[in-house]
Amino acid sequence: MTLTNLASGLLTGAALACVVAVLLGLREGRRYSPSSPERGDRLSRGAAALVAASRRPAVWTALFLLLSLAVGAGVVLALAGGPMSPLAGALAVASAVLALCAFLVVGVYRTVRFRGRTSAEAFAVSAWAVGALFVLAVSGLLLLGG
């Protein structure tokens, strides 16, 4: 198993965990009623555990520390040289950009929802903010000749 496959698996797993956490946080009391009651109990207990974990500051602190360590390790590997340094640098930059975009999307969404807007309006404003950031990045690349 190569380092690329391992890194890809870890990043995909982290992205999937983030999507699940966000979707579970958006449930807001809606119940899922499957055909068998025991399956629904297991699913609702698991969902409740994930939502409860996502509301604890210690979990967010641990995730932040893990992300910081991953970015720091990628920077150290990129600066150390060797055959894996370009990949490590690219992964460090990609994870930092992904964290910034996730912070932007979730922050804008939660802020708009806190102001009393619907989830559709909050998602639209989040999408607009990410789109404006993307246009700004592309404009900067075009102006700087990148």
Side-chain angles (χ1 to χ4, degrees):
M1 184 173 202
T2 64
L3 182 63
T4 305
N5 291 342
L6 181 63
S8 173
L10 289 174
L11 288 175
T12 303
L16 181 62
C18 289
V19 168
V20 167
V22 168
L23 288 176
L24 289 176
L26 295 177
R27 287 181 58 184
E28 295 179 350
R30 287 182 237 146
R31 291 272 179 190
Y32 174 70
S33 58
S35 59
S36 64
E38 66 274 358
R39 182 171 178 245
D41 290 342
R42 278 189 318 198
L43 286 176
S44 62
R45 279 195 310 261
L50 283 175
V51 168
S54 71
R55 291 185 177 152
R56 292 179 45 204
V59 173
W60 287 104
T61 303
L63 287 174
F64 173 75
L65 290 175
L66 285 174
L67 180 66
S68 299
L69 288 173
V71 170
V75 169
V76 168
L77 284 174
L79 294 177
M84 297 307 292
S85 63
L87 176 65
L91 285 176
V93 169
S95 61
V97 168
L98 182 67
L100 177 67
C101 287
F103 178 73
L104 175 74
V105 169
V106 172
V108 168
Y109 180 85
R110 293 283 184 178
T111 302
V112 173
R113 287 289 292 172
F114 179 73
R115 302 274 181 192
R117 300 295 185 175
T118 65
S119 63
E121 291 172 324
F123 180 76
V125 173
S126 295
W128 179 84
V130 170
L133 190 62
F134 178 74
V135 168
L136 183 66
V138 169
S139 300
L141 284 174
L142 289 174
L143 287 174
L144 297 175

